[in-house]
Amino acid sequence: MQYSKSIGYALHALIHLAHAERGQNIGIKDLSSSLGVSESYLSKIMSKLRQDGIVRAVTGASGGYELARAADQITFFDVIQVIEGRHPLYECFNIDDQHHHLFFEAEDLKPESTDHSENKGCLVKKVMIGAERHMQQYLQQHTIQWVVDSAAFNPLTQTVK
């Protein structure tokens, strides 16, 4: 599994915006220059973030982008969903247990049910969905503000926030 470059650019752009002084917006030209990405590519990313209410576009001569929500309210998971879409990472092939019985649970989970097909679950799907849930929880625990706070001291520039 690999995250797209768009997610990386989106996260870094949001961190730049969160690091800016309150009320200060950053123009797309400055933002794209800071990230080393073309303005047109970054504009598409920022448009998705704007449509989802994560950033706000400020119009006018000194326009640009600013966070529309507090940085501690924007999780990594939020950004991934906006950029990549809101669909599960794993999709089951719908292999039926009659032909591929090795992939399904041996015992019914709901013994009171008369429809045994709904009781047996694909074990591959169970593992993959479980892993995805753990990853989602981890990504939901980390916000843009967490990065800003964690980067308060930058040993490369010897500055303290």
Side-chain angles (χ1 to χ4, degrees):
M1 171 176 44
Q2 182 176 5
Y3 291 115
S4 69
K5 289 181 181 179
S6 295
I7 290 173
Y9 288 129
L11 290 166
H12 283 91
L14 293 171
I15 292 163
H16 276 278
L17 294 176
H19 195 264
E21 290 183 32
R22 192 81 173 137
Q24 177 188 7
N25 62 68
I26 302 176
I28 194 71
K29 188 172 189 167
D30 291 337
L31 201 51
S32 67
S33 177
S34 296
L35 298 175
V37 62
S38 75
E39 288 180 41
S40 62
Y41 184 59
L42 188 58
S43 290
K44 290 175 186 173
I45 293 168
M46 298 306 287
S47 178
K48 286 183 178 184
L49 295 170
R50 184 187 51 75
Q51 290 170 358
D52 209 68
I54 292 178
V55 299
R56 181 176 25 251
V58 178
T59 58
S62 61
Y65 288 96
E66 63 185 12
L67 295 181
R69 300 192 307 209
D72 65 351
Q73 297 298 309
I74 304 169
T75 70
F76 275 50
F77 187 66
D78 294 336
V79 177
I80 291 168
Q81 284 192 306
V82 169
I83 301 300
E84 295 294 330
R86 290 170 169 82
H87 51 81
L89 294 175
Y90 180 77
E91 293 183 31
C92 191
F93 295 111
N94 293 323
I95 299 172
D96 68 27
D97 61 345
Q98 190 174 24
H99 294 99
H100 298 282
H101 63 279
L102 293 175
F103 302 125
F104 288 81
E105 293 176 294
E107 296 180 14
D108 289 346
L109 297 176
K110 300 179 205 167
E112 68 278 357
S113 175
T114 56
D115 181 7
H116 296 289
S117 65
E118 77 176 48
N119 294 330
K120 295 182 182 179
C122 175
L123 293 170
V124 172
K125 181 178 180 180
K126 194 174 242 183
V127 170
M128 299 303 282
I129 297 300
E132 189 173 333
R133 249 186 248 119
H134 284 288
M135 184 174 63
Q136 286 174 1
Q137 288 170 351
Y138 184 82
L139 293 168
Q140 287 170 336
Q141 292 170 354
H142 291 84
T143 65
I144 299 302
Q145 188 63 51
W146 178 87
V147 175
V148 171
D149 293 345
S150 297
F153 175 73
N154 184 344
L156 297 176
T157 61
Q158 297 298 310
T159 60
V160 177
K161 184 178 171 185

